[in-house]
Amino acid sequence: MHTVRFTLTQRRKLFAPVPTGDQTQEAKCRGILALTNKTGPELETLLDKPPREYTELLRREYLLCAPATPIHTEADYPAVRAALAKFCATLDRP
């Protein structure tokens, strides 16, 4: 979750592989599912004493959407590559 917090505070795109089957019952997998299915305010209620700046970010940037883009199958890879290419293009600007 430290990586997730860092990614979001840096305003980076977050992708998450969606667990399936028995994996969905594991604690860390439930966290991934929450990141792809819940809005920022919903996530805030699940966290135990999150830092104030993180809760403000969740409320401000993810009020109506989930912070992570889900990756369900290999069919999602082209969209992931396109999003990464778009992001990288912003880094090349002077």
Side-chain angles (χ1 to χ4, degrees):
M1 294 310 285
H2 295 291
T3 302
V4 169
R5 187 177 331 139
F6 181 77
T7 300
L8 296 179
T9 58
Q10 296 297 308
R11 302 226 186 325
R12 307 285 181 166
K13 189 78 171 160
L14 180 63
F15 296 95
V18 177
T20 58
D22 293 338
Q23 295 174 339
T24 59
Q25 300 308 311
E26 295 180 25
K28 62 183 167 185
C29 291
R30 287 194 307 264
I32 292 171
L33 289 170
L35 285 168
T36 61
N37 293 318
K38 298 194 179 295
T39 64
E42 291 172 322
L43 283 173
E44 182 185 345
T45 64
L46 299 174
L47 299 172
D48 182 35
K49 298 180 184 176
R52 181 175 178 202
E53 63 274 3
Y54 189 51
T55 59
E56 289 174 359
L57 172 73
L58 289 173
R59 289 180 198 161
R60 183 180 64 248
E61 300 292 327
Y62 303 100
L63 180 64
L64 302 174
C65 64
T69 301
I71 301 172
H72 295 282
T73 66
E74 287 183 34
D76 293 329
Y77 290 178
V80 171
R81 283 192 289 275
L84 290 173
K86 183 178 177 181
F87 173 75
C88 289
T90 66
L91 298 177
D92 294 337
R93 294 183 184 166

